[in-house]
Amino acid sequence: MQIAILYGTETGNAEMLAEDIAAHLDDHDTSVTNLSDMDPADFTAGTLYLIVTSTYGDGELPASAKPFEEAMQAAGPDLSGIHFAVFGMGDSEYEETFNFGGKRIEELMKGAGATMLGARVTHDASGADMAEDLAFPWAEAVVAEAEPALAA
Amino acid sequence: MPSVAIIGSGPSGCYAAQALAKARPDVSITIFDALPVPYGLIRYGVAPDHQGTKAVIRQFERLFERQGVRFAGNVTLGRDVTLEALRDGFDAVVLATGLHDDLRLGIAGEDLPGVHGSGAVTRAWNGWPGAEAPAIGRRVVVIGNGNVAVDLVRLLAKTPEEMEGSDLVLPPGTGVQEITITGRSPAEAAKFDPVMLRELGKLTDCAISVQDVSSGEGKTVEALQALDGHAPEGARKRLTFRFGMTPARILGQTAVEGVEFTDGTVIPADTVVTAIGFDGARAACDAEGVVAPGLYATGWCRRGPRGTIPENRADAMAVAARIAADLPEGPGKPGFAPDCATGYDGWQRIDAAERTAAPEGRVRAKITTLAGLLALAKDGET
């Protein structure tokens, strides 16, 4: 099973976390890709997609995820058979829009028929936890759940 | 290996180092700063109650802790080292010096005691070494309609309890009763981010009224309309938004007594804070940030003092890509730091001391004197 870690970032925090997750899953075959470079036509059934994204501005996706959002809306791909999981990064100082980025990615993927594994986990920049302390257990759990389904 | 000196350890300098280290792992990078502490406006500009925004620091810690980037603090360009010496000693030099002075209103009364620029005020509230906190009275007028003005207003309106989780022990506006924020433009043209406005709706000790927004559309106007009438029970402070108000002069003989606007309106005040932007010369450079061969500029130093952390990240990445392409392969110049320079280990001692000293409910207590910072930064030197 291949694991593709996709990230949407504005300040680089989600990019760093994506790289940390890849390093943490080093006994798997992983890749790290900016969502700005992800073509919706490239989703592959045998790959697990771990998507890490922040929220920016007024509850929007971060800059690097916006081209992906536009491409998904334009292409309307059929992603049935695609498995993904979402890790959102937010800041509860902005409670009305807290973690809208992660929600939006979940909507886009589910709307295209993809299957979400695990629960969408969110990190709060104003909280006490380090992002990786939440993200590593999340990634391990999702990978364990995916292995029977995606084992070639 | 080739060497690069980056002048300024704020977000632009650090993002430039990050992008450069990624593109050219063979390059030795030194980031200089005038202070013995890194991170510039992330530490001294981003509001003390926005610790989440400061989380980008975790990326930059990697530069110094894992990627071999050297921090050379306590080095003032022109005093401790000249630009010429840096250009002689390094293969490339990047100017990321950032902030300039507060823009002036250019009206009568501006130099009266009680009138302050936002840059000076936020530096003081953020514990910039030696910056003296201005006296804040009971009636404050904030002139300006951007996010810096909202930061000022929010901090003035907050109670000590609302500073929970910040790095400021006491909010600056404990004696404030009345805050008026004014802008020249109509509400729909104000530069506030709606998300910053909505945050004011959480204030527990400040009633809010918004005037002059009868017309106009958009998220900013909607956010303002939602704030109007915010009235927490027993609120001791009052905040009023006014739009379409151009200041004509600051009134008062020996100290501020009020602000007179061009339409004849007078708002009584004992304190005026201007937040109308920053001033200063930009480096003369081309669109790619090239000032001269081997000399580059990025961030506010290149584009002028505007734009957020992400915008400056994009700018720094673009300049770093250009530098990575220009740098020679092979041995290159060795680089250096003057004897007065303090290192990243010095900052780590300051950081640890500040965290240890944090009172209940605060994340840190900043050391606010240069002598105090230097004593820790140089501790352990023989």
Side-chain angles (χ1 to χ4, degrees):
Chain A
M1 178 180 74
Q2 291 218 326
I3 301 173
I5 303 160
L6 310 178
Y7 64 87
T9 195
E10 185 90 30
T11 66
N13 291 338
E15 179 177 358
M16 180 169 82
L17 181 62
E19 287 168 356
D20 287 354
I21 292 169
H24 184 71
L25 300 175
D26 62 355
D27 52 346
H28 294 79
D29 182 3
T30 60
S31 63
V32 177
T33 305
N34 192 332
L35 274 172
S36 64
D37 299 325
M38 183 67 197
D39 183 337
D42 291 343
F43 280 106
T44 315
T47 299
L48 170 65
Y49 293 91
L50 302 180
I51 309 178
V52 180
T53 184
S54 61
T55 303
Y56 208 74
D58 198 16
E60 295 150 45
L61 283 173
S64 97
K66 283 189 173 166
F68 175 75
E69 180 182 37
E70 286 159 19
M72 286 286 283
Q73 285 168 333
D78 175 10
L79 298 186
S80 50
I82 302 299
H83 291 79
F84 75 100
V86 178
F87 188 92
M89 302 177 79
D91 187 342
S92 61
E93 279 289 334
Y94 307 102
E95 57 190 342
E96 296 89 350
T97 57
F98 179 55
N99 259 306
F100 274 27
K103 278 184 201 160
R104 179 70 186 135
I105 289 291
E106 179 181 341
E107 274 171 24
L108 284 170
M109 295 296 290
K110 282 185 174 170
T115 304
M116 185 160 98
L117 299 179
R120 179 166 51 79
V121 173
T122 57
H123 174 253
D124 177 8
S126 289
D129 291 313
M130 294 290 186
E132 57 270 30
D133 292 342
L134 300 179
F136 292 172
W138 162 82
E140 286 166 19
V142 170
V143 169
E145 190 181 338
E147 263 165 347
L150 292 181
Chain B
M1 58 176 67
S3 59
V4 175
I6 296 174
I7 318 299
S9 65
S12 291
C14 285
Y15 276 127
Q18 184 187 54
L20 196 55
K22 203 165 189 172
R24 288 289 300 263
D26 62 314
V27 169
S28 141
I29 301 170
T30 303
I31 305 183
F32 291 89
D33 203 285
L35 292 177
V37 296
Y39 310 134
L41 282 187
I42 301 172
R43 178 173 160 97
Y44 289 116
V46 170
D49 59 342
H50 280 176
Q51 293 293 317
T53 305
K54 296 179 193 266
V56 293
I57 283 176
R58 293 200 60 220
Q59 294 179 48
F60 305 147
E61 289 172 347
R62 298 260 172 111
L63 294 172
F64 302 114
E65 291 172 13
R66 299 190 197 171
Q67 292 174 271
V69 173
R70 178 177 187 186
F71 178 67
N74 191 40
V75 178
T76 295
L77 191 63
R79 183 192 70 187
D80 303 315
V81 67
T82 63
L83 185 58
E84 291 68 32
L86 289 174
R87 294 186 69 192
D88 281 346
F90 290 83
D91 293 289
V93 176
V94 186
L95 302 170
T97 46
L99 185 66
H100 305 267
D101 300 324
D102 285 299
L103 263 182
R104 288 173 60 83
L105 287 165
I107 60 174
E110 194 167 4
D111 295 314
L112 282 170
V115 183
H116 312 285
S118 64
V121 170
T122 52
R123 273 196 293 280
W125 291 354
N126 279 306
W128 182 280
E132 205 169 314
I136 302 291
R138 290 185 297 122
R139 307 178 102 170
V140 184
V141 172
V142 175
I143 298 173
N145 270 185
N147 291 334
V148 173
V150 182
D151 271 343
L152 294 169
V153 163
R154 189 186 65 253
L155 289 168
L156 285 170
K158 277 195 168 180
T159 64
E161 293 72 34
E162 289 176 294
M163 295 306 287
E164 174 93 26
S166 77
D167 59 29
L168 190 61
V169 178
L170 278 179
T174 46
V176 170
Q177 293 171 356
E178 185 130 12
I179 307 163
T180 309
I181 176 168
T182 72
R184 283 186 304 183
S185 311
E188 63 268 26
K191 293 192 173 73
F192 308 125
D193 277 332
V195 66
M196 296 276 292
L197 290 172
R198 281 201 288 271
E199 199 183 350
L200 298 176
K202 291 194 282 181
L203 291 171
T204 59
D205 194 25
C206 186
I208 302 176
S209 81
V210 181
Q211 298 182 23
D212 322 311
V213 281
S214 50
S215 68
E217 292 180 348
K219 285 191 164 186
T220 301
V221 169
E222 282 167 26
L224 284 164
Q225 284 167 337
L227 281 179
D228 190 27
H230 174 74
E233 201 180 323
R236 286 170 297 179
K237 299 178 186 179
R238 194 167 60 187
L239 166 63
T240 307
F241 282 84
R242 300 292 307 269
F243 296 95
M245 307 268 289
T246 302
R249 59 186 174 131
I250 313 274
L251 304 172
Q253 295 300 317
T254 55
V256 172
E257 292 170 16
V259 182
E260 183 181 317
F261 295 84
T262 51
D263 65 355
T265 305
V266 171
I267 300 178
D270 49 39
T271 311
V272 174
V273 184
T274 63
I276 56 170
F278 303 107
D279 191 14
R282 288 185 291 166
C285 60
D286 68 13
E288 288 188 287
V290 180
V291 179
L295 183 63
Y296 307 82
T298 189
W300 282 7
C301 181
R302 183 181 84 75
R303 299 178 307 130
R306 55 188 65 246
T308 57
I309 288 173
E311 287 168 62
N312 286 294
R313 173 175 181 258
D315 193 58
M317 290 168 84
V319 173
R322 171 66 199 250
I323 298 167
D326 286 353
L327 277 175
E329 304 284 342
K333 299 176 183 176
F336 70 95
D339 289 342
C340 64
T342 58
Y344 187 74
D345 60 325
W347 157 243
Q348 287 177 308
R349 283 188 290 274
I350 293 166
D351 189 31
E354 289 186 338
R355 289 177 191 274
T356 303
E360 182 72 25
R362 301 293 182 270
V363 295
R364 103 179 26 244
K366 283 183 179 172
I367 296 164
T368 58
T369 65
L370 188 57
L373 293 172
L374 281 174
L376 281 162
K378 292 182 171 175
D379 186 34
E381 278 184 16
T382 51

